[in-house]
């Protein structure tokens, strides 16, 4: 089980629902966070598409709306989010996300197929002492060729969730899907 103790971070997670072999997963398109230690651990071991960037939350907006933005590289806002809390969830909340990652490790031999090319199913277990549910919004104000996350279209909005004081644990996968 992977647990990162005392590694505080802010993280933007961009995923879409997919079906693979009849099962539904959250397929992670982009994770941008402000601490490089969890980047290396999650990316190489589990295939999470983690990248270093700046994540900022602005809670004092003159209203109940919480705003945030992601910069990558610093100074270029690739994502802006808004969150209107409707209700606070009572007590500590535990949840598991059934995720799927593409893990690719290039061959050291030039012009060869990747040495590793597999889909990695992961269970992301989260526990948070402060959880809010409400409405969210997202936009991509400065498109980037380096991070083309702006090319994914928002089809509909569901319930948005804000976690604070959260911890994450990822049990080691018991299988992978070779590609």
């Amino acid at each position: 089980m992977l647990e990162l103790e005392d590694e505080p971070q802010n993280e933007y997670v961009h995923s879409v629902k997919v079906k693979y072999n009849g099962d539904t997963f959250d397929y992670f398109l982009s994770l941008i966070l402000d601490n490089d230690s969890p980047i290396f651990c999650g990316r190489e071991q589990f295939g999470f598409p983690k990248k270093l960037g700046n994540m900022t939350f602005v809670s004092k907006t003159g209203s109940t709306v919480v705003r945030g933005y992601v910069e990558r590289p610093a100074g270029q806002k690739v994502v802006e989010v808004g969150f209107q809390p409707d209700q606070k969830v009572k007590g500590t909340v535990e949840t598991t996300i059934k995720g799927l990652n593409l893990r690719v490790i290039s061959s050291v031999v030039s012009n060869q197929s990747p040495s590793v090319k597999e889909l990695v199913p992961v269970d992301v277990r989260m526990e948070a002492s402060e959880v809010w549910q409400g409405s969210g919004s997202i936009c991509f104000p400065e498109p980037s060729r380096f991070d083309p996350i702006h090319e994914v279209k928002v089809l509909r909005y569901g319930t948005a969730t804000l976690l604070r004081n959260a911890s994450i644990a990822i049990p080691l996968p018991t299988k992978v899907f070779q590609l």
Side-chain angles (χ1 to χ4, degrees), residues 89-103:
V89 179
K90 293 183 181 355
T92 299
V93 174
E94 296 180 26
T95 188
T96 299
I97 295 173
K98 187 176 173 182
L100 189 66
N101 295 318
L102 174 62
R103 182 172 176 250

Side-chain angles (χ1 to χ4, degrees), residues 104-117:
V104 177
I105 299 177
S106 301
S107 173
V108 295
V109 179
S110 181
N111 298 320
Q112 293 291 314
S113 297
S115 296
V116 174
K117 188 175 179 184

Side-chain angles (χ1 to χ4, degrees), residues 24-38:
T24 301
F25 296 92
D26 280 291
Y27 182 79
F28 298 103
L29 297 174
S30 179
L31 290 89
I32 300 174
L33 56 156
D34 57 7
N35 183 331
D36 58 0
S37 179

Side-chain angles (χ1 to χ4, degrees), residues 35-78:
N35 183 331
D36 58 0
S37 179
I39 290 175
F40 300 126
C41 194
R43 187 176 58 205
E44 276 68 26
Q45 188 172 6
F46 297 103
F48 284 101
K50 293 186 172 205
K51 298 177 184 176
L52 189 61
N54 294 327
M55 178 84 202
T56 302
F57 283 106
V58 181
S59 55
K60 294 183 180 181
T61 61
S63 72
T64 58
V65 174
V66 176
R67 292 187 53 243
Y69 58 89
V70 178
E71 296 177 326
R72 181 164 158 73
Q76 181 172 359
K77 288 184 183 177
V78 293

Side-chain angles (χ1 to χ4, degrees), residues 5-19:
E5 296 292 328
D6 300 321
E7 290 289 337
Q9 67 200 43
N10 290 312
E11 186 167 6
Y12 165 78
V13 178
H14 191 152
S15 66
V16 294
K17 294 283 187 202
V18 299
K19 284 195 180 230

